[in-house]
Amino acid sequence: MKNDISQQQESKINDSAEQKIGTDDHSANWQQLSPIAILYFTASSFKQIFSNAFYLIPVLALNYKSIIQHPYIWIPSILGLVAILIVFAVLSFKVYRFRLTDNNIEIRSGVISKKHLNLPFERVQNVKIEQPLYYRFSGHACLQLDTAGSAKNEAKIIALKLELAEKLKSQILQHTKQSKPIGESKFASSQTSPSNNTTETTLNTRSLSDLIIHGITSNRIWIFLGGLAPFFDDIATHIGDWANKLGMDFKALFSLQTHSMLEVGLYALSLTILIMLILVSFSVIGSIISFYGYTLNKLDDRYIRRSGLLTKHEVSMRLSRLQMVVRKQDWLDLILKRINLKFEQNSSIENSMNASAATNKIIVPSVKLNECQDLIDDAYPQNKLAQLINQQGFISISKRFIARNIVLIWMPIWIVASLICWFNHQAILILITTTLLALFSGLTVLRWRRWGIAQDQNFIYIRKGLIGVDYYCFPTFKVQQTKFLQTELMKRRELASVKFVLASGALKIPLISQELAFGLINDCLFKVESSKKSWM
Amino acid sequence: MPQSNFNNPMMDVADLPQIQELDKQRLSEKYASTNLKVGACVVLLLLIIAFILYFQPFIEVSQNIRQNLLFISSAIIIIVSLVVLLGYQADIRKSYTLRDLDIHYSSGLFFRKTVSQPITRIQHIELKRGPIDRKINLAKLQVFSAGGAMHTFEIPGLPLETAQQLRQYIIEHKDVTNHEK
């Protein structure tokens, strides 16, 4: 959806930009990809089918015995599917054409529904180079161009020679720089010319041990376990058989007749630890695969993140596109004194594709406290986050938050659950629901303790969390919209909630004093409207 | 490098423009009353359907089912009428304010909220008019920012002329036209 405003701007930008990038060897003609792209098309449609077939897993899990018993059905059907995929990949490759002109890129693709994409360079938000494993031998890479708009306008040139991709990337980024606001572009051009564009300063690298720590602390293994649930029974019997072959007998091992209570307890404990260890190692492997060889570099005003063991990802972001810095610490991170630092940019890109969401954000996994503050200071030199954290400078939210959440959320659930138990003559279960109520009330208190807000001349800082603690810091002028929320009851107690909407998402701070809420919004609107600076 | 040569002198908060002192403009009177009429029509339609179902002579149904039908349909009708009446109460409390550099919209019956949209952050504007809006000459103003679809700023029930004036004002606003120069 374009409007009059942006079209006006566009034409202006086009005029100024055309002079810069003139003659080029690889322009004007429709080009075909190198045949290695067939591999890419096959792999991507394979991935798509798998992610769609995810919902079928429970069905397959229930029936898989009867499916396995009929190989003459499933073997040909799988072979047929693979054949269709390959044919489709070859066709996709055959119809795919791209063309580069002075300041835009055109891509024609699609076997069944034809697509023709025309993307002017100045609309490009972000340029990423991606190198899947199978491209590494032939030296190819994918060049992905993100736009501020919807996912449909996303361009991906599949299979370019790596050098060409790099060259094109610097060309496009050079182009976006041209279309910066006048004051800034003067500054940039006096400082840097295209020739010294190659000197990148490294801000941060992550060693293997850091990644192992990251794998342990960001353990997402319970999700994986949930997915495995239908197979538990089979897995258990398989493991039992396997252990029997090795000469171990679980039944005898855990029998209280042959062993003492202590022994059985120790066996059980060590078995649990063993399983946990295996599961954690999965998470560690995942972390290493996505973050291996992590470097965060800085080139002029751009941050470039490179990582990946199998598929090498590269994400670059201009500092001016940065919306918010998020500093996350879970409970394990608190113990190990590590932080996950995130640089968040426009989220309309991220929402569009769940798969690449993690690679789009610039995340620095498990950094040490001092490194983290250095990075934040580099991005936002005037921030006072460190002082605020040290001096407890955050303003807490009202204690009524505890009462409100317990009375309005947990109590009704508790009452309903208890009544259900009572009427089903399971009075003993009420004990459990009451314990749960106490637990959730305790968590509410923790949540209240974490929630806080602080503000200085340039930034707003929000602290929240449950057991861990997260800090959000954003420049006040980047706010897109503010919301003031108040119920009649809150009004009587002079309390209010405030929501700040940024291009990277919304942040809410509940139940602060009405005066503070008005002050925050007034100050925020003042800074947005008086600064005249673009949020991009 | 937005921060490097940034200089923003401290101001007394009391000197800032205050959003608690907004001069609130009502929406068109036709908006709330039309919504009420539409709601009343829906309730009436539901009543007719329930009536037909209850007294239909075509299919023989047991007394038990008839009783349940009576209970369910009256529950639905009571809930819908409540929603309509509360909606009316909410509608007459909606208001907006246009200031030089931003636009505000207040709504909500129990949960009062005021959304403030600085004009400089506006990406594009739409006027939306459904069939009923066209009949009674109203329009809904939608303002999009980079905050995403979840946070579209909307003012419903504006007289068409007012909506067009607002739209024109925003488009010609210096903060929007100077946006990326």
Side-chain angles (χ1 to χ4, degrees):
Chain A
M1 277 181 261
K2 284 174 202 164
N3 64 337
D4 330 51
I5 309 166
S6 69
Q7 270 169 357
Q8 281 171 17
Q9 291 160 14
E10 208 178 299
S11 58
K12 276 176 206 156
I13 295 159
N14 271 343
D15 296 339
S16 64
E18 249 161 40
Q19 306 134 13
K20 183 65 198 175
I21 295 164
T23 50
D24 249 316
D25 40 318
H26 52 263
S27 60
N29 292 324
W30 287 102
Q31 296 175 64
Q32 222 178 355
L33 296 169
S34 109
I36 193 138
I38 296 175
L39 258 179
Y40 180 87
F41 284 118
T42 320
S44 69
S45 48
F46 210 68
K47 258 189 225 161
Q48 214 168 15
I49 285 177
F50 257 88
S51 59
N52 288 333
F54 194 73
Y55 309 104
L56 285 178
I57 286 176
V59 180
L60 291 177
L62 284 175
N63 302 322
Y64 92 112
K65 276 215 179 86
S66 59
I67 293 173
I68 290 293
Q69 276 164 3
H70 301 282
Y72 47 88
I73 296 179
W74 65 264
I75 291 180
S77 54
I78 286 181
L79 284 179
L81 197 70
V82 170
I84 290 171
L85 279 185
I86 291 172
V87 169
F88 201 76
V90 172
L91 282 177
S92 308
F93 160 71
K94 285 273 181 205
V95 295
Y96 191 102
R97 293 279 191 287
F98 69 98
R99 177 163 75 168
L100 296 151
T101 48
D102 287 346
N103 48 16
N104 69 21
I105 175 165
E106 283 175 85
I107 294 176
R108 282 197 315 202
S109 63
V111 177
I112 295 163
S113 63
K114 299 274 176 200
K115 272 194 288 191
H116 188 146
L117 184 122
N118 192 332
L119 181 68
F121 286 163
E122 71 264 13
R123 286 295 186 84
V124 174
Q125 276 259 332
N126 202 343
V127 184
K128 290 192 291 186
I129 291 181
E130 220 180 84
Q131 195 177 29
L133 187 65
Y134 43 83
Y135 274 9
R136 223 171 288 172
F137 309 107
S138 61
H140 285 83
C142 298
L143 187 76
Q144 184 167 342
L145 309 171
D146 291 333
T147 59
S150 64
K152 286 168 205 146
N153 293 329
E154 217 160 63
K156 197 167 190 178
I157 311 180
I158 297 147
L160 278 175
K161 276 282 177 199
L162 191 59
E163 313 89 73
L164 186 61
E166 292 282 359
K167 196 175 152 197
L168 210 62
K169 189 185 99 176
S170 61
Q171 186 185 336
I172 292 168
L173 287 171
Q174 199 59 39
H175 201 281
T176 39
K177 193 173 279 179
Q178 297 294 309
S179 60
K180 266 206 281 191
I182 285 174
E184 278 181 75
S185 70
K186 264 185 204 154
F187 181 59
S189 58
S190 65
Q191 197 185 42
T192 54
S193 58
S195 57
N196 67 10
N197 236 1
T198 45
T199 52
E200 292 181 7
T201 45
T202 303
L203 295 177
N204 201 296
T205 55
R206 301 277 82 205
S207 69
L208 207 56
S209 59
D210 292 323
L211 298 185
I212 292 170
I213 289 176
H214 183 69
I216 293 168
T217 53
S218 65
N219 198 340
R220 302 275 178 270
I221 206 64
W222 306 113
I223 303 165
F224 178 72
L225 269 187
L228 273 184
F231 304 100
F232 275 165
D233 215 27
D234 289 315
I235 292 171
T237 47
H238 275 294
I239 290 178
D241 291 347
W242 175 69
N244 266 339
K245 268 184 212 154
L246 291 179
M248 279 167 21
D249 188 357
F250 281 121
K251 275 184 191 140
L253 214 57
F254 287 105
S255 160
L256 279 175
Q257 277 147 0
T258 50
H259 297 273
S260 75
M261 195 72 154
L262 185 71
E263 268 183 305
V264 173
L266 279 177
Y267 285 140
L269 188 71
S270 50
L271 201 66
T272 322
I273 290 177
L274 186 73
I275 290 172
M276 279 300 290
L277 213 67
I278 294 169
L279 296 181
V280 166
S281 63
F282 273 116
S283 161
V284 170
I285 290 167
S287 150
I288 292 174
I289 286 174
S290 50
F291 292 119
Y292 181 79
Y294 185 99
T295 55
L296 182 67
N297 289 358
K298 195 179 180 182
L299 174 65
D300 301 342
D301 63 340
R302 272 193 300 125
Y303 277 48
I304 302 155
R305 170 200 153 217
R306 294 192 184 86
S307 70
L309 183 65
L310 303 176
T311 299
K312 279 184 187 162
H313 287 281
E314 178 180 318
V315 184
S316 83
M317 172 183 75
R318 282 192 22 217
L319 190 51
S320 65
R321 299 265 152 98
L322 177 63
Q323 302 293 318
M324 177 161 57
V325 175
V326 185
R327 178 189 185 279
K328 285 199 168 202
Q329 258 183 315
D330 216 341
W331 63 275
L332 253 178
D333 296 311
L334 279 176
I335 298 170
L336 295 170
K337 295 202 161 49
R338 293 296 176 121
I339 297 166
N340 288 318
L341 185 68
K342 277 183 202 160
F343 294 107
E344 300 205 357
Q345 49 176 336
N346 195 341
S347 69
S348 57
I349 313 165
E350 283 156 31
N351 291 341
S352 57
M353 286 176 44
N354 298 327
S356 70
T359 55
N360 208 327
K361 234 175 246 175
I362 294 197
I363 174 172
V364 194
S366 294
V367 282
K368 298 196 183 93
L369 297 178
N370 57 334
E371 289 176 321
C372 171
Q373 195 52 44
D374 289 346
L375 285 172
I376 297 175
D377 287 342
D378 185 76
Y380 290 148
Q382 290 175 324
N383 85 88
K384 297 195 177 69
L385 189 58
Q387 291 100 296
L388 280 168
I389 294 171
N390 287 335
Q391 297 159 7
Q392 302 288 318
F394 285 87
I395 302 166
S396 297
I397 61 170
S398 161
K399 273 199 178 117
R400 291 191 184 275
F401 175 81
I402 305 171
R404 183 190 77 173
N405 279 24
I406 292 176
V407 172
L408 291 182
I409 301 173
W410 304 122
M411 289 283 247
I413 295 175
W414 172 70
I415 290 169
V416 169
S418 299
L419 282 179
I420 290 172
C421 293
W422 182 258
F423 283 116
N424 287 320
H425 309 290
Q426 300 275 338
I428 193 76
L429 282 182
I430 294 179
L431 217 65
I432 296 172
T433 58
T434 313
T435 332
L436 281 177
L437 175 71
L439 181 73
F440 281 110
S441 306
L443 288 177
T444 310
V445 175
L446 280 179
R447 186 96 174 126
W448 166 77
R449 268 173 55 105
R450 292 295 187 211
W451 225 319
I453 186 162
Q455 167 191 30
D456 65 17
Q457 277 189 44
N458 307 314
F459 299 95
I460 291 177
Y461 311 86
I462 288 175
R463 178 187 66 195
K464 66 182 188 184
L466 193 60
I467 298 169
V469 55
D470 306 337
Y471 293 93
Y472 298 78
C473 165
F474 57 88
T476 317
F477 80 89
K478 294 253 174 181
V479 168
Q480 301 280 337
Q481 193 184 73
T482 62
K483 280 184 187 152
F484 176 88
L485 304 127
Q486 196 174 47
T487 60
E488 206 48 53
L489 214 66
M490 284 156 76
K491 196 172 183 177
R492 236 176 282 159
R493 288 164 184 156
E494 303 206 322
L495 294 173
S497 303
V498 175
K499 203 173 193 177
F500 298 100
V501 180
L502 285 124
S504 62
L507 273 178
K508 190 177 172 186
I509 175 99
L511 297 176
I512 48 175
S513 81
Q514 183 180 300
E515 209 179 325
L516 177 63
F518 279 131
L520 278 168
I521 290 179
N522 288 333
D523 178 62
C524 182
L525 291 177
F526 167 71
K527 276 175 186 146
V528 170
E529 288 154 10
S530 64
S531 82
K532 303 282 176 210
K533 276 186 295 186
S534 167
W535 59 274
M536 292 221 307
Chain B
M1 274 158 273
Q3 278 80 40
S4 53
N5 47 8
F6 190 67
N7 157 40
N8 201 351
M10 200 61 172
M11 278 189 64
D12 193 356
V13 179
D15 291 344
L16 293 179
Q18 306 277 305
I19 70 151
Q20 51 269 52
E21 293 157 10
L22 292 176
D23 177 21
K24 290 182 175 169
Q25 307 280 313
R26 294 254 163 264
L27 304 180
S28 164
E29 281 158 20
K30 279 186 277 180
Y31 172 68
S33 58
T34 313
N35 274 0
L36 189 64
K37 279 177 207 154
V38 172
C41 289
V42 171
V43 172
L44 201 69
L45 196 74
L46 285 175
L47 266 175
I48 293 169
I49 292 171
F51 193 79
I52 292 173
L53 280 178
Y54 194 69
F55 290 108
Q56 50 97 3
F58 311 111
I59 308 164
E60 202 66 36
V61 284
S62 71
Q63 195 59 34
N64 200 5
I65 292 177
R66 278 167 73 92
Q67 210 123 57
N68 279 337
L69 187 72
L70 192 66
F71 178 72
I72 292 170
S73 55
S74 50
I76 290 176
I77 286 167
I78 288 170
I79 290 172
V80 171
S81 346
L82 262 179
V83 168
V84 169
L85 287 176
L86 288 179
Y88 177 73
Q89 290 300 315
D91 281 345
I92 57 174
R93 281 174 174 76
K94 288 176 182 166
S95 65
Y96 71 95
T97 309
L98 180 69
R99 296 198 302 193
D100 196 20
L101 298 172
D102 43 33
I103 182 163
H104 310 261
Y105 172 61
S106 308
S107 64
L109 187 57
F110 301 113
F111 220 92
R112 299 286 302 163
K113 60 180 177 188
T114 302
V115 187
S116 307
Q117 176 67 60
I119 289 175
T120 174
R121 294 281 177 266
I122 291 174
Q123 299 234 305
H124 76 275
I125 317 163
E126 272 178 35
L127 281 190
K128 269 211 168 155
R129 305 182 69 205
I132 295 167
D133 279 347
R134 282 201 297 270
K135 197 101 191 161
I136 55 175
N137 220 23
L138 293 186
K140 182 202 259 179
L141 184 77
Q142 284 188 321
V143 170
F144 297 85
S145 66
M150 286 278 294
H151 303 285
T152 304
F153 180 93
E154 271 185 2
I155 308 179
L158 290 169
L160 182 60
E161 254 173 59
T162 319
Q164 280 167 345
Q165 280 167 356
L166 277 175
R167 179 173 175 273
Q168 206 57 29
Y169 175 78
I170 294 170
I171 287 174
E172 285 168 5
H173 198 282
K174 59 184 188 316
D175 275 358
V176 175
T177 43
N178 288 353
H179 212 237
E180 201 127 9
K181 228 185 330 190

